[in-house]
Amino acid sequence: MKEFIKNSECFFNFIDSIIETKDRRLILDKLVEDIRDYLLADRCTLFIVDKKAGELASRVAQGRDEVRLPINKHTLTGCCFLTGRTLCANHAYDEKELKALDSEIRVSRAWDEKTGYKTKSVLATPIVARGTNVGVFLALNKPGGFIAYSVEAAIEFAHLLGLAVEIVLLDEALKEGKKFEDLPFNC
């Protein structure tokens, strides 16, 4: 793990949240908030794959109701999930910038038009649990845009977020009597 992450106050808060939070449902909210603050992003969303629906469903969506996205490469989030690559666009509506990331990504203003929010910059990194992509962490609108340092930090925090997602989903499965096969990290 990068030295700047290991020595940051945010890293230790992150670990404390995982260990100390008794209500496992709140862990992900707190961690997403901590990462947002560290990245200086305006909003962040944690998507987790819904295998049955074939969608990415927001588990934590700051400033929004639930968001569901089809799993395809037409969105930056879907492309991040399918390719396992961290993707960053500092001009969310710049078709050339998006196409440079992947030729299948399309410019879409649908969510902004629906919510009234103006997306300027986007940073998406995959969340992995047990060696399987289980979701995507999405950060929006860092003043001045996301820089290499932001990308590195998101990648490093994604490792810990993957661990937290695994803990929360396993805890929920036990409490709700779900089958292990229904969890997103079960291949």
Side-chain angles (χ1 to χ4, degrees):
M1 187 166 296
K2 301 276 185 208
E3 199 62 33
F4 69 92
I5 297 292
K6 287 194 295 189
N7 291 324
S8 74
E9 182 179 335
C10 188
F11 173 79
F12 294 108
N13 290 342
F14 209 91
I15 296 298
D16 288 345
S17 293
I18 293 172
I19 294 169
E20 295 175 357
T21 303
K22 297 198 184 338
D23 185 345
R24 299 280 188 223
R25 294 171 301 172
L26 300 177
I27 288 174
L28 298 177
D29 291 335
K30 176 71 172 113
L31 298 180
V32 168
E33 184 179 313
D34 287 346
I35 297 170
R36 182 202 64 212
D37 292 347
Y38 186 86
L39 294 175
L40 302 175
D42 181 48
R43 291 183 181 175
C44 292
T45 302
L46 172 62
F47 290 93
I48 296 180
V49 67
D50 179 339
K51 292 192 311 186
K52 288 181 181 175
E55 296 176 320
L56 291 169
S58 61
R59 179 62 186 253
V60 178
Q62 297 173 332
R64 299 184 194 180
D65 294 327
E66 182 184 52
V67 176
R68 289 187 159 267
L69 300 172
I71 298 176
N72 61 43
K73 290 173 84 179
H74 298 163
T75 66
L76 193 111
T77 306
C79 187
C80 170
F81 179 78
L82 288 172
T83 65
R85 292 183 297 137
T86 297
L87 303 173
C88 182
N90 280 315
H91 302 93
Y93 296 137
D94 184 331
E95 192 167 327
K96 282 176 83 176
E97 185 175 357
L98 294 174
K99 295 290 183 195
L101 297 172
D102 191 284
S103 62
E104 294 183 49
I105 297 175
R106 299 180 186 154
V107 173
S108 175
R109 291 180 169 83
W111 283 106
D112 284 2
E113 289 170 359
K114 183 177 178 180
T115 63
Y117 186 75
K118 174 79 167 117
T119 303
K120 298 171 188 158
S121 57
V122 182
L123 171 60
T125 195
I127 302 300
V128 177
R130 296 187 181 218
T132 302
N133 279 357
V134 296
V136 173
F137 175 79
L138 183 73
L140 301 174
N141 294 356
K142 177 180 179 171
F146 294 101
I147 57 175
Y149 182 86
S150 307
V151 174
E152 289 177 20
I155 291 168
E156 293 304 317
F157 281 125
H159 296 293
L160 293 174
L161 198 48
L163 174 62
V165 166
E166 183 177 345
I167 290 167
V168 168
L169 293 180
L170 285 170
D171 187 62
E172 287 175 355
L174 286 171
K175 288 179 181 173
E176 297 170 13
K178 290 181 182 176
K179 295 178 183 177
F180 183 74
E181 298 83 40
D182 294 333
L183 297 174
F185 44 79
N186 181 33
C187 301

